[in-house]
Amino acid sequence: MNRAAVIGGGIAGLTAAWELARSGQQVDIYEAGDRLGGAISPVSLAGVQVDAGAEAFATRTPAVRDFLRDLGLDEQVVSPNPLGAWLQLPDQAAPMPSTGVLGVPGNPSADDVIAILGAEEAARAAQDLEAPMTWSQAHNPALGEVVADRMGPAVVERLVAPITSGVHSADPYDLAISSAHPQLYQTMLTQGSLARAVTALRAAAPAGSAVQSLHGGMNTLISTLESQLRRFGASIHLNTEIHELSSLQADAVIVATEGRQIHRLIGTSPKAAPAGQRPDQGQSAGVALVTLLVHAPQLDACPRGTGMLVAPTVSHIRAKAMTHISAKWEWVARALENQLGPSHHLLRLSFGRITDTDGSLGFTSADNALLNAAIADLPALTGLAVNREQLLDHTVVRWQTGLPGGSTQQRSDAQQVRELLSARQSAAGPGIAVTGAWFAGTGLAQVIPDARRAAQQVLSR
Ligand SMILES: Cc1cc2nc3c(=O)[nH]c(=O)nc-3n(C[C@H](O)[C@H](O)[C@H](O)COP(=O)(O)OP(=O)(O)OC[C@H]3O[C@@H](n4cnc5c(N)ncnc54)[C@H](O)[C@@H]3O)c2cc1C
């Protein structure tokens, strides 16, 4: 039996540790914080436990479903209410077009796209279907650059930016297309059109909803991994920040932390940003999430579907997104009803954009300021008069890790680290592999398969 050390007890580290442990390795997991899970964690309001961080996984590939099946969690997979989310623009609120990927429309002439873009901008977007393809393999562009070129800047502003900002905490002009969606660029080159690429990717994705979760929330995945790891004999060391790899007694090491720590641990330094590009900070500016429990019969009809993504150009709302948690997940609505009775709702508002300037609400704001802003935003976000008297409970949670930004600069930095590491590996020293959102891109659909590959790489040595 070999001894392996895994640094970082987020989903990447736990997934890699699980692969190693089930193959018979003696695994030590070192986590700096006082709990496992990283950006996946539970929070409780009035006795109902929901996710405080990541709450779902993308189904565009079977990677997460396969992992859940291997863990015996297949039966607990749940799909969201098919109502879908809405978009808030400066001049209107409208349901998100149904044929898109990352907001990029598969059919620029669809009625729900024209409703948001207007006929003129929709016609500009449709030019993508005819225009010659000028992008190539040689480029490593940002998502916003490609969409603006193929379909026009209005598509970026009104359809793409609300999603990249609300979901990835990234500016579309700074988010590498490869990080936002690993297949989108290549499929566009093959199809000769961005819209046709979107349609092809949607057709190739497994049938059903674009995201899924687990009954009880994604935090169920962490508690399951923890108990299976303990059963395999893995040792879990909480409150143990690793500063030096040389301090570890191990034949193999997997580093599953975020950018800054990775550079420090493996002795590399961030690549200098090319002139004119924002340097990668190795850490996101962070987000603050305010979850509200309200008694509000007026929300029973789910006025904004499963939630709302707010375009960065909207000035009258301070939140960048709202998830109507109890409208999105049936198990949450049931738990609320059983615990508290009818017409109770959970809503989660997120604050903090990558493009924020000083004075904006976000990661560093005080709890009270965030709560006040969340309550003040509710009427505009739901289209209904919901007020402070209806508030029964609330929590404020802040996140700075798990959202590495995914800029082209960050992606090439991560790639360079992996190349350096593979050049450095010698047959004699301990095998070192790196994984996590900083390498794989934000989101469980990218992080989980990457972590499994990292573990296989270590096992194959
Ligand atoms: C608010 C929020 C909502 C999200 N929602 C979704 C969603 O709905 N769907 C989705 O797919 N993705 C979502 N994501 C993204 C997803 O959660 C992340 O991409 C993923 O969880 C990252 O996992 P990770 O293990 O790479 O990193 P992390 O979760 O950041 O874990 C890294 C761990 O390493 C530990 N660590 C760091 N340095 C050291 C050290 N030196 N020694 C020991 N331990 C160390 C940290 O304490 C941390 O626990 C969300 C992210 C956030 C923040």
Side-chain angles (χ1 to χ4, degrees), residues 6-15 29-40 51-58 64 166-169 211-212 218 222 237 239-244 255-258 260-262 264-265 284 286-289 328-329 348 350 397-404 435-448 451:
V6 174
I7 305 169
I11 185 60
L14 294 179
T15 302
I29 300 158
Y30 299 95
E31 164 54 47
D34 59 3
R35 59 164 188 85
L36 295 177
I40 306 179
D51 285 312
E55 54 138 20
F57 60 89
V64 180
V167 178
H168 297 82
S169 264
V211 296
Q212 288 183 313
M218 287 313 296
I222 302 303
H237 311 270
N239 301 306
T240 310
E241 182 171 354
I242 299 299
H243 299 279
E244 296 265 355
V255 183
T257 66
E258 55 279 353
R260 231 178 245 179
Q261 280 84 351
I262 285 165
R264 187 163 52 76
L265 284 165
S284 83
V287 292
L289 305 184
K328 188 167 181 179
W329 307 110
R348 177 166 101 168
S350 40
V397 182
R398 294 174 175 74
W399 294 105
Q400 197 160 28
T401 64
L403 293 168
T435 187
W438 197 71
F439 291 97
T442 298
L444 308 182
Q446 277 152 253
V447 172
I448 287 175

Side-chain angles (χ1 to χ4, degrees), residues 266-279:
I266 65 172
T268 48
S269 40
K271 235 173 128 181
Q277 265 188 39
R278 193 185 311 184

Side-chain angles (χ1 to χ4, degrees), residues 43-46 289-294 346-347 367-368 370-372 374-375 388 391-397:
V43 66
S44 204
L45 286 97
L289 305 184
V290 184
T291 305
L292 306 173
L293 170 63
V294 293
L346 278 176
L347 303 140
D367 282 12
N368 245 350
L370 290 161
L371 175 64
N372 289 340
I375 292 169
R388 189 178 280 269
L391 181 70
L392 302 180
D393 197 1
H394 78 277
T395 63
V396 178
V397 182

Side-chain angles (χ1 to χ4, degrees), residues 42-133:
V43 66
S44 204
L45 286 97
V48 177
Q49 186 173 289
V50 291
D51 285 312
E55 54 138 20
F57 60 89
T59 57
R60 62 173 175 262
T61 72
V64 180
R65 267 313 277 269
D66 290 349
F67 187 51
L68 296 175
R69 193 169 305 118
D70 292 347
L71 288 166
L73 284 171
D74 212 25
E75 305 255 294
Q76 294 193 47
V77 173
V78 291
S79 295
N81 185 328
L83 283 172
W86 281 48
L87 278 177
Q88 178 71 56
L89 299 158
D91 48 347
Q92 61 167 317
M96 187 110 70
S98 56
T99 62
V101 165
L102 288 165
V104 181
N107 177 3
S109 309
D111 288 348
D112 53 6
V113 176
I114 294 173
I116 287 173
L117 291 180
E120 203 173 305
E121 292 298 348
R124 164 67 186 89
Q127 286 174 9
D128 158 76
L129 293 159
E130 310 294 334
M133 181 53 60

Side-chain angles (χ1 to χ4, degrees), residues 127-428:
Q127 286 174 9
D128 158 76
L129 293 159
E130 310 294 334
M133 181 53 60
T134 51
W135 296 94
S136 76
Q137 291 293 5
H139 304 109
N140 174 27
L143 175 66
E145 273 181 275
V146 176
V147 179
D149 174 59
R150 298 294 310 174
M151 296 186 162
V155 177
V156 182
E157 190 177 300
R158 293 177 75 82
L159 287 167
V160 177
I163 295 182
T164 60
S165 161
V167 178
H168 297 82
S169 264
D171 178 344
Y173 289 103
D174 215 16
L175 175 66
I177 193 166
S178 57
S179 175
H181 191 302
Q183 289 96 35
L184 183 58
Y185 190 61
Q186 185 52 52
T187 313
M188 178 188 81
L189 297 181
T190 314
Q191 296 281 336
S193 142
L194 190 53
R196 280 198 292 276
V198 166
T199 305
L201 288 170
R202 285 183 67 102
S209 55
V211 296
Q212 288 183 313
S213 184
L214 290 171
H215 186 94
M218 287 313 296
N219 61 85
T220 309
L221 172 58
I222 302 303
S223 46
T224 303
L225 276 167
E226 178 172 2
S227 65
Q228 295 197 10
L229 278 162
R230 290 195 191 277
R231 221 172 45 233
F232 289 138
S235 304
I236 296 171
H237 311 270
L238 296 177
N239 301 306
T240 310
E241 182 171 354
I242 299 299
H243 299 279
E244 296 265 355
L245 294 190
S246 57
S247 66
L248 302 167
Q249 297 285 322
D251 306 303
V253 179
I254 294 190
V255 183
T257 66
E258 55 279 353
R260 231 178 245 179
Q261 280 84 351
I262 285 165
H263 281 303
R264 187 163 52 76
L265 284 165
I266 65 172
T268 48
S269 40
K271 235 173 128 181
Q277 265 188 39
R278 193 185 311 184
D280 177 47
Q281 304 298 316
Q283 198 160 30
S284 83
V287 292
L289 305 184
V290 184
T291 305
L292 306 173
L293 170 63
V294 293
H295 180 246
Q298 63 270 46
L299 295 181
D300 289 351
C302 310
R304 294 292 185 254
T306 56
M308 178 76 104
L309 289 159
V310 182
T313 44
V314 171
S315 57
H316 66 289
I317 295 175
R318 302 185 75 180
K320 62 175 183 173
M322 174 192 77
T323 306
H324 189 161
I325 305 173
S326 45
K328 188 167 181 179
W329 307 110
E330 173 67 23
W331 66 269
V332 178
R334 285 251 173 86
L336 285 175
E337 176 129 17
N338 292 341
Q339 191 84 7
L340 304 163
S343 298
H344 289 86
H345 295 268
L346 278 176
L347 303 140
R348 177 166 101 168
L349 283 74
S350 40
F351 295 87
R353 296 182 193 276
I354 193 88
T355 46
D356 277 350
T357 49
D358 289 351
S360 309
L361 275 180
F363 182 81
T364 55
S365 306
D367 282 12
N368 245 350
L370 290 161
L371 175 64
N372 289 340
I375 292 169
D377 277 348
L378 273 185
L381 283 168
T382 60
L384 293 165
V386 186
N387 59 49
R388 189 178 280 269
E389 283 67 52
Q390 293 174 286
L391 181 70
L392 302 180
D393 197 1
H394 78 277
T395 63
V396 178
V397 182
R398 294 174 175 74
W399 294 105
Q400 197 160 28
T401 64
L403 293 168
S407 67
T408 46
Q409 164 69 17
Q410 185 266 316
R411 302 303 297 153
S412 73
D413 197 5
Q415 193 183 336
Q416 183 176 296
V417 168
R418 271 194 160 151
E419 283 165 9
L420 258 171
L421 212 51
S422 106
R424 245 200 236 169
Q425 304 278 14
S426 76

